[in-house]
Amino acid sequence: MALSNENETIKGFSKLALKNNHIPKKYYNKYDVKQGLRNSNGTGVLVGLTDIGSVQGYTMHKGNKIPMEGKLYYRGIDIEKIVEGFQMENRIGYEEICFLLLFGRLPNKDELKEFNELLDQCRYLPDGFTENMILKIPSKDIMNKLQRSVLVLYSHDYNPDSITIDNILRQSIQLIAKFPTIISYGYQAKAHYFNRDSLFIHSPKPNMGTAKNILHMIRSHNKYTETEAEALDLCLVIHSEHGGGNNSTFATHVVSSSGTDTYSTISAAIGSLKGPKHGGANLKVLRMIENIKENVPNLKDKGQLKDYLLKILKRQVFNKEGLIYGMGHAVYTISDPRAKLLKKKAHKLALEKNKMEEYNLYSSIESLSKELFKELKGHDFEICANVDLYSGFIYEMLNIPSDLYTPLFACARIAGWCAHRIEQIVSDQKIMRPAYISVQENTPYVSLCNR
């Protein structure tokens, strides 16, 4: 069949698929279906319990959400206190966070040293993997490459299917260590084969940690400043966990409950994070910022900037979806602690990179958006900058290609995914099986000759 005929045939079938897969809104209301697993007041439907991460952005009083300063806890410890702790001691923090999430408490010096040595041993890919899996089959999308690579690692595992905790823990540590190498090489392959750039394959180095190794492997010259490494390390720390309710972590719980292997589970989580409604949000922030720069004559004029933000909300400009990306969150109301931490680090990095005008633009968008929402929705309405407003800006200042933004999210969140997988298998052995109600009426079978 010719390609043009094939496309026309598919278009015809698409109309049929659209017609017969639409469920009217009235049925969702009739059966009180919680679409998106959200209650009518916007809160999430309770589906499980966790000791790993906790997100607090509001309190409930008589069925109403009462805004509060946002809090994020890793194993019960305030993330802001954790970051303050390792930054005051001029240490990187991601590996410490991995230990905390996996084992439930902070490591002592000897444990952290031993854990770092274990990660260093596992950062290398299997023999022939780089050539056969990454360079010979490059992908335009690094998340796609990461997902396929994880599934292929199953074939390199001497005991891939066992779900004993010691085996899952071994696999988890290996994946945490290998993710940075996979995305770095995946990016180099993409840049070489699709962008015609020079190909650089740098081996990971011991005693550097995850953030420095990423900068080392994605840059041709291997160089970075301490401020750059600190900024990327912070991004990894604040993206490593966010409770059990986010889409990719929930996917981890669902797939783990079936008793399947670690590689299949983590692959499902990567597929979830790849979605633009989840892991790709900071890219939308950058696209919005680019559009603002192109259309606001004087970016320092807050009146002009506010007028354009209002046009965005009214669906008159940009992508006409009516959203100011980087603002608002399903849980956080007054503040997102991750955004607060990143904003502080973005300021330090902007001073080093001579990017203060750019920083001021982001800060103005944050403050003016809050003003606009209060004007439009009432003085009591609270909205805050979320993690995506400043994470993309930091990556941009680090000269990290946008192709790697979401893969970096995955590199961080793999620690949380693995912790939640272990928790699911230890604490709840029942396979998740939610209910769906069929709204299709029974119809008689019609033989082919009578259709």
Side-chain angles (χ1 to χ4, degrees):
M1 182 184 294
L3 183 60
S4 58
N5 291 336
E6 179 183 335
N7 290 338
E8 289 302 315
T9 301
I10 290 174
K11 284 182 181 179
F13 286 154
S14 295
K15 293 177 182 178
L16 189 63
L18 284 170
K19 176 184 176 183
N20 291 324
N21 283 284
H22 174 69
I23 297 177
K25 183 70 175 179
K26 66 180 181 180
Y27 289 115
Y28 290 97
N29 296 330
K30 177 181 178 180
Y31 296 107
D32 192 28
V33 175
K34 311 293 186 182
Q35 286 186 277
L37 288 180
R38 299 195 188 192
N39 298 309
S40 58
N41 61 5
T43 60
V45 174
L46 184 62
V47 296
L49 303 171
T50 184
D51 268 344
I52 297 167
S54 174
V55 182
Q56 297 177 7
Y58 56 83
T59 57
M60 296 298 297
H61 180 67
K62 295 181 178 180
N64 296 315
K65 292 168 67 173
I66 309 299
M68 63 174 282
E69 292 287 345
K71 288 291 182 181
L72 173 59
Y73 298 91
Y74 290 174
R75 294 288 189 174
I77 307 175
D78 190 330
I79 184 63
E80 293 181 78
K81 297 297 183 183
I82 295 175
V83 171
E84 180 184 347
F86 67 72
Q87 287 186 345
M88 284 181 62
E89 297 176 4
N90 295 315
R91 296 186 292 108
I92 55 175
Y94 179 65
E95 288 72 23
E96 186 173 343
I97 293 299
C98 292
F99 190 101
L100 172 64
L101 295 176
L102 289 173
F103 304 112
R105 64 166 174 81
L106 291 168
N108 60 36
K109 287 184 178 179
D110 290 339
E111 289 171 332
L112 184 57
K113 180 176 182 293
E114 188 176 16
F115 186 66
N116 277 321
E117 290 173 350
L118 187 56
L119 288 173
D120 280 341
Q121 292 171 18
C122 297
R123 293 194 190 279
Y124 303 96
L125 302 181
D127 290 343
F129 193 97
T130 301
E131 295 82 357
N132 296 324
M133 180 60 209
I134 297 179
L135 297 182
K136 287 184 179 179
I137 318 173
S139 175
K140 293 180 180 179
D141 190 293
I142 313 307
M143 288 294 281
N144 170 268
K145 172 55 61 182
L146 178 62
Q147 190 174 30
R148 285 192 285 152
S149 295
V150 167
L151 289 173
V152 171
L153 284 173
Y154 175 100
S155 301
H156 291 269
D157 192 328
Y158 63 86
N159 190 18
D161 289 303
S162 170
I163 57 171
T164 61
I165 298 308
D166 60 339
N167 196 57
I168 293 176
L169 188 59
R170 171 187 64 82
Q171 294 168 333
S172 298
I173 292 171
Q174 289 179 350
L175 288 173
I176 290 169
K178 286 177 171 54
F179 263 40
T181 311
I182 293 170
I183 69 161
S184 298
Y185 292 178
Y187 168 71
Q188 295 291 359
K190 188 263 182 183
H192 178 64
Y193 290 105
F194 294 101
N195 301 350
R196 299 179 183 273
D197 293 338
S198 297
L199 179 64
F200 298 94
I201 299 294
H202 303 301
S203 295
K205 299 292 184 184
N207 304 316
M208 285 173 53
T210 302
K212 289 181 179 180
N213 258 307
I214 290 171
L215 294 174
H216 163 79
M217 288 188 287
I218 66 173
R219 294 179 172 179
S220 60
H221 51 64
N222 306 126
K223 297 177 181 178
Y224 51 84
T225 68
E226 286 301 316
T227 303
E228 288 179 321
E230 290 169 6
L232 182 55
D233 179 69
L234 178 62
C235 288
L236 295 174
V237 166
I238 60 99
H239 280 103
S240 61
E241 164 61 6
H242 208 241
N246 66 83
N247 195 274
S248 58
T249 301
F250 181 55
T252 302
H253 278 278
V254 172
V255 180
S256 291
S257 77
S258 75
T260 193
D261 66 277
T262 297
Y263 303 98
S264 296
T265 302
I266 298 305
S267 173
I270 296 168
S272 166
L273 189 68
K274 183 176 180 287
K277 294 180 181 179
H278 190 4
N282 52 22
L283 285 171
K284 289 192 173 183
V285 173
L286 283 188
R287 301 295 174 262
M288 181 186 74
I289 295 294
E290 290 169 0
N291 180 266
I292 290 172
K293 288 178 179 178
E294 292 170 358
N295 292 281
V296 177
N298 184 359
L299 294 171
K300 295 180 181 179
D301 187 323
K302 293 190 175 181
Q304 290 183 20
L305 186 55
K306 186 175 181 180
D307 287 343
Y308 196 75
L309 290 172
L310 180 59
K311 290 180 180 179
I312 290 177
L313 286 175
K314 290 184 175 180
R315 303 174 187 265
Q316 296 173 350
V317 294
F318 186 39
N319 60 9
K320 299 184 180 179
E321 292 183 357
L323 298 172
I324 297 178
Y325 294 101
M327 295 299 300
H329 191 269
V331 179
Y332 297 122
T333 51
I334 295 177
S335 64
D336 179 341
R338 303 168 302 169
K340 288 167 59 179
L341 290 166
L342 285 182
K343 184 177 182 180
K344 184 178 179 181
K345 184 60 69 173
H347 183 268
K348 181 178 180 181
L349 195 59
L351 288 171
E352 180 178 292
K353 299 285 187 178
N354 195 26
K355 292 279 189 177
M356 282 306 298
E357 284 191 15
E358 189 96 349
Y359 171 85
N360 290 333
L361 172 60
Y362 280 82
S363 185
S364 294
I365 289 172
E366 178 184 0
S367 60
L368 292 173
S369 295
K370 291 180 179 180
E371 289 181 18
L372 275 173
F373 276 96
K374 286 186 178 294
E375 292 171 8
L376 295 171
K377 295 181 176 288
H379 182 72
D380 293 334
F381 186 83
E382 296 289 352
I383 191 170
C384 63
N386 60 48
V387 67
D388 298 307
L389 185 63
Y390 291 100
S391 62
F393 177 43
I394 286 179
Y395 292 152
E396 188 177 40
M397 286 192 288
L398 291 175
N399 200 29
I400 290 175
S402 59
D403 289 318
L404 282 169
Y405 287 10
T406 309
L408 283 172
F409 194 160
C411 272
R413 188 57 61 86
I414 177 62
W417 291 336
C418 289
H420 279 275
R421 171 164 167 75
I422 292 171
E423 185 179 64
Q424 178 68 37
I425 289 172
V426 170
S427 301
D428 188 356
Q429 284 79 40
K430 284 192 174 182
I431 184 172
M432 290 190 185
R433 191 184 182 281
Y436 274 71
I437 295 174
S438 173
V439 295
Q440 173 68 58
E441 295 181 359
N442 293 338
T443 57
Y445 173 77
V446 179
S447 62
L448 183 60
C449 61
N450 292 326
R451 293 175 207 165

